[in-house]
Every structure is written in C-alpha cells, then in structure tokens.
Amino acid sequence: MHLATEARRTIKKRGQLRFYGNRGESRFNSDNFQTRRQIMAGIINPYSDEAMRYDFDNHMYVLTAECVLAELNINLQEALNPTGAANVGQNPAAVLKQISFVVYSQMYAGSCNNTIQEWLAAKAQSARDIIKSALKQQVLYFIFGGDLSQYNGVDIRKGRKMPDFDSKILAPNARNILERNLKETGKSLMYTGEYPELMWREDIGDYVLGNY
C-alpha cells in the first residue's frame, strides 16, 4: 500500500501554508528554508540498476541476485536450494522481495511520519546506498538465521511471546546502518520525529498523488 495515500491535504490559513508533522500540522518557519534547500538539492527519482531495482508498486528497493553474488559472494539459487530441487517459496527473487518488505516494515515501525520516511527512502540520494547496505546485511541474516518475520515468537512451552522477539527480526547490522544520518536531512531513516523544514504541498504533494 502506498503510505502517502494516508496523508493529509495541505491547507492555507491567513496567507501562510501549513505543513505535515507527526503530531499534526505546524506553521512553516522561515528559518527552515536553508535546511529545506539542502534536502531538496539531494532529491532524485528512484531508479533501477544491476544491483537494485525499484519496485514502484510497493515503493521499495529490492536487491538483485546478481548483486548478492558479486558483493556477498553468495549464489542465492544454490544457497536456497542446496539439493537442486525446485522450491517456489525459496525462489531468489521472492526471497529478496520478502527481505525488502522486512527491512522497510521495521524501518517504518513506531513512526507517525511514514509518508515522509517513504518519500525520503525513495528520493533522497544518500538513502539509496544506506538501504542497499542494510538489505545486504539482512540477506546475510536470512541465510544464516532464517526469516524471523514469519514466526510469531511465542514460546510454546511457556505459552508467551519471547522477550524482545520483534527487535530480532531486523539484523543488528542492518539496524545500525539504517540509523546513519542522511546527508540531506541530518536525520536517519529510522527517525520518528517531525520534519518542519519540509513543505508538504510543494515538496511531497506530487509523490502523494503517485507521481515521482
């Protein structure tokens, strides 16, 4: 689902624009213009290459099997199917897409600014390399430990969920990478606060409408 479709519409009041924040809308302060220029200077359109493709339907980057082989020295086809038997559930393309779903869902967890997070993850130039590195770490985590997102974390013997199970779904190294600050914002993709320096209608309006 396109997170931006849940966004509010910007309105005008007393001749001033109002802007989106995770606790509501706040007036744009002229002191934020310099920060806004810095952010917008690093905004690009998402694109696909030999290492990652951008999934426009789900609004996320997905690693390619070629990238995993070249940069992690892992042949996913062989790693997922060591016996050579065909297994739809272990198809490299399907697994890489699931890994992206896990990373993005953990990145958005607990934030009220999912629309802006999604916009930055798609369009901030420095975010692309950060996401690529995080996805590679999640691939390693998956290969050696499995996909914990497919489990509920309940200890059957004790009849309750294991402590901190949800925090273990995302690879620790991937989390550390996602907590690096973006060059454009000075905040990480895990940041859950407000972005008063962004002008909702002018900066993010087209993205909300489904245009990049």
Side-chain angles (χ1 to χ4, degrees), residues 12-18 27:
K12 284 187 176 181
K13 185 177 182 181
R14 296 180 184 175
Q16 292 183 317
L17 287 172
R18 300 179 71 191
R27 292 182 184 276

Side-chain angles (χ1 to χ4, degrees), residues 2 123 204-212:
H2 192 173
K123 295 179 68 73
I204 307 174
D206 281 345
Y207 181 76
V208 173
L209 297 175
N211 303 318
Y212 282 85

Side-chain angles (χ1 to χ4, degrees), residues 62-70 72-82 87 90-97 99 135-136 138-140 142-144:
V62 181
L63 288 178
T64 65
E66 291 76 16
C67 173
V68 175
L69 178 60
L72 297 178
N73 198 29
I74 295 175
N75 185 316
L76 274 181
Q77 188 65 51
E78 294 178 358
L80 297 173
N81 304 290
N87 186 334
Q90 295 292 74
N91 175 278
V95 167
L96 290 171
K97 189 172 184 177
I99 285 171
L135 290 175
K136 289 195 296 183
Q138 194 68 24
V139 167
L140 293 173
F142 174 88
I143 292 296
F144 297 114

Side-chain angles (χ1 to χ4, degrees), residues 2-174:
H2 192 173
L3 293 171
T5 57
E6 300 175 358
R8 304 177 191 176
R9 204 172 46 177
T10 302
I11 62 172
K12 284 187 176 181
K13 185 177 182 181
R14 296 180 184 175
Q16 292 183 317
L17 287 172
R18 300 179 71 191
F19 304 88
Y20 178 85
N22 68 334
R23 293 184 178 86
E25 296 175 354
S26 58
R27 292 182 184 276
F28 187 70
N29 189 320
S30 60
D31 293 339
N32 293 319
F33 272 112
Q34 185 173 354
T35 304
R36 175 178 176 263
R37 282 198 298 268
Q38 177 181 322
I39 294 174
M40 298 310 294
I43 295 302
I44 61 174
N45 288 327
Y47 63 93
S48 300
D49 57 18
E50 65 279 359
M52 287 196 303
R53 66 178 181 85
Y54 190 77
D55 183 338
F56 283 91
D57 292 328
N58 294 293
H59 309 279
M60 64 184 187
Y61 277 107
V62 181
L63 288 178
T64 65
E66 291 76 16
C67 173
V68 175
L69 178 60
E71 300 188 24
L72 297 178
N73 198 29
I74 295 175
N75 185 316
L76 274 181
Q77 188 65 51
E78 294 178 358
L80 297 173
N81 304 290
T83 64
N87 186 334
V88 176
Q90 295 292 74
N91 175 278
V95 167
L96 290 171
K97 189 172 184 177
Q98 172 61 15
I99 285 171
S100 288
F101 273 123
V102 170
V103 169
Y104 275 76
S105 65
Q106 291 295 304
M107 186 169 68
Y108 296 146
S111 173
C112 297
N113 264 335
N114 287 159
T115 302
I116 296 180
Q117 278 182 298
E118 185 185 277
W119 179 78
L120 287 168
K123 295 179 68 73
Q125 190 167 4
S126 65
R128 197 176 191 279
D129 287 338
I130 288 174
I131 290 171
K132 179 184 175 184
S133 296
L135 290 175
K136 289 195 296 183
Q137 290 301 315
Q138 194 68 24
V139 167
L140 293 173
Y141 197 60
F142 174 88
I143 292 296
F144 297 114
D147 184 6
L148 297 182
S149 70
Q150 299 301 305
Y151 300 92
N152 58 25
V154 174
D155 186 330
I156 297 177
R157 294 172 299 177
K158 297 182 179 180
R160 61 175 182 269
K161 194 168 185 176
M162 291 181 284
D164 301 323
F165 177 81
D166 290 341
S167 67
K168 296 179 173 66
I169 292 174
L170 184 64
N173 286 341

